Amino acid sequence: RRVHGEWLDDVLNISNLDEDLKYYEKTGHVYEEKIKAMRYQAPKDLADIIQMFEQHLDEKIDRNCKVLDVASGTGLGGEIIRHELKFTGIVDGLEPVKNEGTIYCQETVYHYT
């Protein structure tokens, strides 16, 4: 059986947005731990894409710009934006589900108004 196989099977069996939101609301406090254990790469892929885009244009994106992270979850994407890519401007997180996991990122990564 895969690492965290039962949890992943549950996630893959979600068939609509309402189920997805309810499941994340219920399990969000362990979400980050589980996806990191599975070597989740999307936030790192985001950083790579931004860097490739900048290389292609031969121009850096202004690190003081405003950023909106939609479906910000526990803040993994925001951490990459802030710490690896060194964005210093306002980074807002938009997350439809509020749970223990998303509360942490509100205080450490994102600017909320």
Side-chain angles (χ1 to χ4, degrees), residues 65-106:
C65 69
K66 294 180 182 179
V67 176
L68 177 60
D69 181 1
V70 177
S72 57
T74 60
L76 294 175
E79 287 178 2
I80 292 285
I81 291 165
R82 278 272 185 234
H83 303 297
E84 184 173 327
L85 296 172
K86 308 286 189 228
F87 276 74
T88 58
I90 293 173
V91 179
D92 281 320
L94 179 61
E95 173 57 49
V97 176
K98 296 295 179 202
N99 60 36
E100 293 172 31
T102 60
I103 290 169
Y104 169 75
C105 76
Q106 291 177 3

Side-chain angles (χ1 to χ4, degrees), residues 7-52:
W7 178 81
L8 184 57
D9 288 342
D10 289 345
V11 169
L12 293 175
N13 286 321
I14 292 171
S15 62
N16 62 57
L17 181 59
D18 287 336
E19 283 181 21
D20 187 36
L21 294 175
K22 286 177 186 171
Y23 188 79
Y24 184 66
E25 193 170 279
K26 183 174 70 175
T27 63
H29 63 286
V30 295
Y31 176 82
E32 187 171 323
E33 164 192 325
K34 291 191 180 286
I35 62 171
K36 280 185 176 179
M38 295 183 324
R39 294 183 175 92
Y40 179 67
Q41 291 294 310
K44 179 68 174 118
D45 291 345
L46 169 67
D48 292 344
I49 289 167
I50 290 172
Q51 290 168 336
M52 285 187 290

